[in-house]
């Protein structure tokens, strides 16, 4: 079977209120970083910072120099607004207070 001349990949980025998935055709030796730049997503979302934002392929973190395969989906992850452990702790504390207040009634 001959090597494909062109492969198709998707570049995905999501905000709380919108999601963008761009499909692009690239050569098989293209890296994740090159595909992101070629997709035009950096122009649409200038807040993306490839020096600090993590990227992955189908939910698995990867490096910017990773090579791509046909039908891969590159995902650009935003930084967390809140620490998940801290959020769970605060939620548990609030529920504990609610239960204590209900027990007093």
């Amino acid at each position: 079977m001959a090597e494909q001349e062109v492969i198709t990949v998707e570049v995905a980025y999501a905000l709380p209120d919108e999601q963008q998935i761009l499909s692009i055709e690239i050569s098989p030796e293209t890296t994740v970083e090159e595909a992101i730049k070629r997709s035009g997503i950096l122009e649409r979302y200038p807040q993306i910072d490839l020096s600090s934002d993590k990227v992955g392929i189908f939910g698995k973190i990867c490096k910017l120099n990773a090579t791509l395969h046909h039908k891969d989906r590159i995902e650009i992850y935003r930084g967390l607004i809140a620490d998940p452990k801290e959020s769970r702790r605060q939620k548990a504390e609030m529920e504990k207070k609610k239960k204590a207040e209900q027990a007093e009634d």
Side-chain angles (χ1 to χ4, degrees), residues 11 24 32-43 50:
V11 178
I24 60 169
V32 168
E33 183 175 16
E34 291 168 337
I36 290 170
K37 288 178 178 176
R38 287 187 196 170
S39 73
I41 204 155
L42 298 176
E43 288 75 28
L50 293 180

Side-chain angles (χ1 to χ4, degrees), residues 48-93:
I48 296 172
D49 182 358
L50 293 180
S51 65
S52 61
D53 293 342
K54 294 193 181 311
V55 298
I57 299 172
F58 289 119
K60 186 174 181 182
I61 299 286
C62 71
K63 295 185 178 191
L64 290 170
N65 65 355
T67 54
L68 296 162
H69 300 94
H70 185 55
K71 295 194 175 185
D72 275 350
R73 184 181 65 231
I74 302 165
E75 299 161 345
I76 304 168
Y77 306 117
R78 293 177 292 117
L80 295 175
I81 295 170
D83 177 25
K85 287 183 182 179
E86 180 63 20
S87 295
R88 285 192 296 272
R89 188 190 65 72
Q90 288 176 356
K91 185 177 177 182
E93 205 171 282

